Amino acid sequence: CAVSANLARDNRIYHVIVYLREVISCRPGDKLNGNFYFRFTATGGAKDPSYHRGDGVFLLAYPEGEITHVRADAVKRQYYPQMIRMQLIQRIEALFPKDAAAFAKALLLGDRSGIDYETNTAFKVSGISHIVAVSGLHVSILMSFAALFLGKRRVLLFAIGIPTLALFASVTGFTPSVTRACIMQALFLTALLFKKEYDPPTALGAAALIMLIVNPMAIISVSFQLSFACMSGIFLFSGRIYAWITNEKRLGSGKGKSIIAKLKRWFASSVSISLAASVMTTPLVAVYFGAISLVSVLTNLLVLWLVSYIFSAVILTCGVSLFGLSAGRIAAWLTAYPIRLLLGTSKLIASFPLAAVYTESIYIIIWLAFSYMLLAVFLCMKKKPVLIFSCLSAVSLCLCLGFSWIEPLMDPCRLT
């Protein structure tokens, strides 16, 4: 059982993670008394540096002997967001079927503790792990709700939107992806209020600056790097990819208000955003997770549209449950079906042969380096032979896969 806590020492407060030997039902403001030994998470600790330091946590606490749990008489205001988070988790667990509750908690609050190893692996292989990492997509859906009810009232949208963003970020634990998205959205609302032009790349840079001023160690956080790399890729490449796909010679005219035209634009937008984000995030994913999904674009096309509806439905279900648990359970029962569809689709696609390749093979690393070399050459050319370069990358992948399969068969010990 892991508990996030504060340690007071020499008139200073240190944020620590306490690992307990048994589950203790702690609330914000409670105290744990006892003897602890600590591990320093940065270089110089008992072991290698841990990922906790990217979140500004430099001490991990482990109990020695018995621990006394002292409950707080009342919850202080500063802990209200944590209480809201805890109550939302409990409400989702009470409303949703067990197979859907874990995903609902992950989607709304970023709590992935209930997602089993099989499902988590399916997300990684199919390339949609970002769905359960609360990010800009979720923040944009949340603000769409506000805009829907408030319309074009700029002052009211700013007055309600900024506190809503701050509350959502605090309830989800100020994860780098959410914090980045909330800062950018706050800058957008500010520009809207003063009728100024909003520049997304500038907002992205401002978000990075603010986050690094607050916690300079955030730069080594995997979530921070992936979030900013994803947005950088979208800003740099999505427009070009969208223009290439929507060229009339390839996709036909995407203009007009017909269903066919809307489907073409949706297809082009989904593919361009997925590919653009992958350009910048794939090297990071290869380094940190050792796997590269080859089906991520397909999976995103099939399930990404569902995420908006599921996220909205989870919020509405929690809201409906305030008027009665029975009504909430009915709403949760209906919401569970699209969740099961998403989970089933992810697991099915993850089971495809060659759904992902793994960097444990040196040949896959060579293919990845060769593909990015091709991309660099491609970007420097005036004429863009997209199909030729795509075929070169695909052929090189097939060759590298062939070598990686043949090499173990040529092992002298195996032949003997």
Side-chain angles (χ1 to χ4, degrees):
C1 175
V3 178
S4 176
N6 290 326
L7 170 68
R9 181 79 176 179
D10 298 329
N11 296 322
R12 295 187 65 182
I13 300 296
Y14 301 92
H15 184 49
V16 302
I17 302 295
V18 184
Y19 287 97
L20 303 170
R21 297 187 183 93
E22 58 183 6
V23 177
I24 297 179
S25 180
C26 293
R27 296 191 311 167
D30 291 0
K31 291 185 178 181
L32 295 176
N33 296 328
N35 294 323
F36 297 86
Y37 67 92
F38 296 90
R39 176 195 162 191
F40 188 48
T41 60
T43 304
K47 298 181 180 179
D48 294 332
S50 75
Y51 69 90
H52 290 288
R53 59 182 180 151
D55 298 326
V57 178
F58 296 96
L59 289 175
L60 305 181
Y62 303 88
E64 288 184 328
E66 295 295 325
I67 299 299
T68 304
H69 177 207
V70 181
R71 284 201 174 276
D73 296 331
V75 178
K76 297 180 180 179
R77 292 181 180 178
Q78 67 192 77
Y79 299 127
Y80 282 175
Q82 288 88 339
M83 287 298 298
I84 294 172
R85 176 184 176 87
M86 187 171 70
Q87 290 172 0
L88 282 172
I89 289 175
Q90 293 172 348
R91 182 59 59 96
I92 289 173
E93 290 175 344
L95 295 175
F96 283 82
K98 189 174 181 180
D99 60 335
F103 183 80
K105 289 189 296 181
L107 187 65
L108 183 62
L109 302 167
D111 180 8
R112 302 180 65 145
S113 59
I115 297 180
D116 56 49
Y117 177 79
E118 180 188 2
T119 304
N120 201 36
T121 302
F123 285 156
K124 290 179 181 178
V125 174
S126 61
I128 57 170
S129 287
H130 62 280
I131 285 179
V132 289
V134 184
S135 60
L137 173 65
H138 307 76
V139 173
S140 63
I141 296 171
L142 187 66
M143 294 313 298
S144 296
F145 266 110
L148 180 65
F149 291 106
L150 299 177
K152 297 181 178 180
R153 301 179 181 90
R154 295 180 292 106
V155 177
L156 192 59
L157 188 60
F158 178 85
I160 294 177
I162 298 297
T164 301
L165 290 171
L167 178 62
F168 183 70
S170 58
V171 168
T172 54
F174 287 106
T175 59
S177 55
V178 172
T179 306
R180 187 269 310 158
C182 287
I183 292 174
M184 293 183 68
Q185 193 68 45
L187 291 173
F188 172 75
L189 293 177
T190 304
L192 190 66
L193 176 67
F194 293 101
K195 297 183 179 180
K196 299 294 183 180
E197 183 180 356
Y198 173 73
D199 182 53
T202 303
L204 182 66
L209 179 62
I210 293 170
M211 292 173 66
L212 292 175
I213 289 174
V214 175
N215 175 23
M217 294 302 294
I219 192 69
I220 65 172
S221 167
V222 178
S223 178
F224 179 94
Q225 294 175 18
L226 287 173
S227 180
F228 281 88
C230 175
M231 294 306 299
S232 299
I234 291 173
F235 293 154
L236 288 171
F237 302 112
S238 64
R240 303 179 192 182
I241 298 173
Y242 182 86
W244 185 85
I245 295 175
T246 53
N247 189 299
E248 291 190 14
K249 294 180 181 179
R250 301 180 185 91
L251 194 63
S253 177
K255 300 179 180 179
K257 297 183 179 179
S258 65
I259 295 177
I260 300 298
K262 290 180 179 179
L263 284 175
K264 289 178 179 179
R265 289 196 295 270
W266 167 79
F267 173 81
S269 178
S270 298
V271 172
S272 61
I273 290 175
S274 296
L275 286 176
S278 298
V279 170
M280 300 297 286
T281 58
T282 296
L284 294 172
V285 171
V287 170
Y288 290 121
F289 304 113
I292 303 169
S293 175
L294 301 180
V295 293
S296 59
V297 174
L298 172 63
T299 315
N300 278 283
L301 275 174
L302 293 176
V303 304
L304 199 57
W305 63 274
L306 266 176
V307 175
S308 300
Y309 294 104
I310 295 173
F311 184 79
S312 304
V314 172
I315 294 176
L316 291 174
T317 298
C318 293
V320 168
S321 68
L322 297 176
F323 300 98
L325 284 177
S326 298
R329 287 195 177 99
I330 293 173
W333 178 73
L334 293 172
T335 306
Y337 284 99
I339 290 177
R340 289 166 182 153
L341 175 61
L342 186 148
L343 295 176
T345 304
S346 173
K347 291 178 180 178
L348 175 64
I349 294 177
S351 67
F352 289 174
L354 288 179
V357 292
Y358 302 89
T359 55
E360 62 184 10
S361 169
I362 186 63
Y363 297 106
I364 298 303
I365 298 175
I366 292 172
W367 163 72
L368 188 62
F370 177 71
S371 296
Y372 274 86
M373 184 188 71
L374 286 177
L375 177 63
V377 174
F378 174 82
L379 292 175
C380 294
M381 297 177 66
K382 291 184 177 180
K383 292 185 178 180
K384 310 291 187 184
V386 176
L387 294 178
I388 294 176
F389 277 75
S390 300
C391 289
L392 284 173
S393 180
V395 170
S396 64
L397 174 61
C398 293
L399 290 173
C400 290
L401 286 173
F403 284 126
S404 65
W405 288 334
I406 293 172
E407 186 179 37
L409 300 178
M410 301 302 293
D411 186 353
C413 294
R414 181 165 181 168
L415 289 174
T416 301

